[in-house]
Amino acid sequence: MAFSSTDSYIVSDQLAAAVNAAVTLEKPLLLKGEPGTGKTRLAQELADSLDADLLQWSIKSTTKAQQGLYEYDAVSRLRDSQLGSDKVHDISNYIKPGKLWQSFTASKRPVLLIDEIDKADIEFPNDLLHELDQMAFHVYETGEHIEAQQRPIVIITSNNEKALPDAFLRRCFFHFIQFPDEQTLAQIAQVHFPNLQPQLLTEALELFFDLRQIPGMKKKPSTSELLDWIRLLVAEDIDAEQLRQSRQQGSALPLTGALLKHEQDVELVERVRRVN
């Protein structure tokens, strides 16, 4: 397998190499980077390139590792027993396979995305160590032993909200997605907007990187927010000359709600642009 950029998705050579290395080593690929740098999108593109199913496990603060294996619905079993249902005699009727179970038993090698693992409790990664290592687990209620028919390709994303345990990190191939440079961002924008005027793209990127370089911002605008902003510029028929005048004169930037998400950042940008 050799994953690389496509006509609709641009990846750096370093990221492509990381994907291919993780697949070769049969280790989970742990991706870190700013929100909006395409960590989640990568899993979908990888699945598409392999013609594989994508199983996405989106992690929340309340998510437990056990839910990735299976969940036992004791409440439904109790209710059925009170109603006299014959279902209660087969406990497997109340076992719901999780995403890991589904990936282990898939007929075709899938891509498993464990998205934003750092949102969960600090013990969550440790609780998955054995299953990710052995690609197997035991179902205590039924006595079943579930073992992967083929190792799924595992992509794990983190926004660095919490540190991950060393024991977990040792089992992963790690890659930090650097924020794209101007040339790469231009390629990404051209993929999404093939008819975009070159001058408009140039001015938009200059303004975008000007914003990202302002020190003290609470949230720097990301790639996905740049694409939203460009889409609005095109929809509102704002041309390159308007952006150029805004940048040179320090006047209000158009449609900055697509780029700036905190009132502190709006005030900071306005203050910096007035001074300059």
Side-chain angles (χ1 to χ4, degrees), residues 227-246:
L227 297 176
D228 286 343
W229 187 48
I230 292 175
R231 181 174 291 110
L232 288 173
L233 294 176
V234 173
E236 296 297 324
D237 202 24
I238 294 174
D239 60 23
E241 183 58 31
Q242 289 174 268
L243 291 184
R244 186 180 301 110
Q245 290 179 2
S246 175

Side-chain angles (χ1 to χ4, degrees), residues 1 3 19 41-50 111 153 155:
M1 191 201 87
F3 179 69
V19 172
R41 172 81 184 276
L42 172 70
Q44 180 63 66
E45 293 294 333
L46 178 58
D48 289 346
S49 71
L50 298 174
V111 174
I153 298 172
I155 307 291

Side-chain angles (χ1 to χ4, degrees), residues 66-74 94-98 101 141:
Q66 176 65 31
Q67 293 171 298
L69 306 180
Y70 66 92
E71 293 183 83
Y72 169 48
D73 191 352
Y94 306 95
I95 302 293
K96 179 182 179 182
W101 185 334
E141 290 80 1

Side-chain angles (χ1 to χ4, degrees), residues 185-222:
L185 269 185
Q187 291 178 312
I188 293 171
Q190 287 163 352
V191 164
H192 288 267
F193 308 100
N195 298 320
L196 188 65
Q197 292 294 323
Q199 296 88 345
L200 178 60
L201 176 58
T202 298
E203 291 296 331
L205 287 174
E206 288 193 20
L207 277 167
F208 176 77
F209 278 102
D210 284 348
L211 292 180
R212 284 187 55 87
Q213 290 166 6
I214 295 175
M217 291 194 72
K218 188 171 183 179
K219 182 190 179 307
K220 295 180 179 181
S222 67

Side-chain angles (χ1 to χ4, degrees), residues 39-150:
K39 299 186 294 296
T40 302
R41 172 81 184 276
L42 172 70
Q44 180 63 66
E45 293 294 333
L46 178 58
D48 289 346
S49 71
L50 298 174
D51 191 25
D53 291 332
L54 174 66
L55 298 173
Q56 182 168 347
W57 185 15
S58 298
I59 306 304
K60 301 178 182 178
S61 60
T62 56
T63 302
K64 302 299 180 186
Q66 176 65 31
Q67 293 171 298
L69 306 180
Y70 66 92
E71 293 183 83
Y72 169 48
D73 191 352
V75 173
S76 291
R77 193 180 187 206
L78 175 61
R79 184 182 64 245
D80 287 345
S81 68
Q82 293 170 337
L83 296 173
S85 172
D86 290 337
K87 287 175 60 179
V88 297
H89 301 302
D90 184 357
I91 197 171
S92 65
N93 290 322
Y94 306 95
I95 302 293
K96 179 182 179 182
K99 296 298 184 182
L100 278 173
W101 185 334
Q102 294 173 38
S103 71
F104 288 180
T105 56
S107 58
K108 183 179 179 181
R109 190 184 194 188
V111 174
L112 172 64
L113 170 63
I114 304 177
D115 203 17
E116 299 189 333
I117 194 173
D118 52 325
K119 281 188 175 180
D121 182 87
I122 189 61
E123 291 303 320
F124 179 91
N126 282 333
D127 292 342
L128 287 178
L129 287 180
H130 176 78
E131 287 74 18
L132 290 177
D133 236 6
Q134 302 300 316
M135 288 289 159
F137 64 91
H138 189 72
V139 184
Y140 297 100
E141 290 80 1
T142 64
E144 292 176 88
H145 181 71
I146 305 300
E147 189 169 349
Q149 298 177 16
Q150 63 271 314

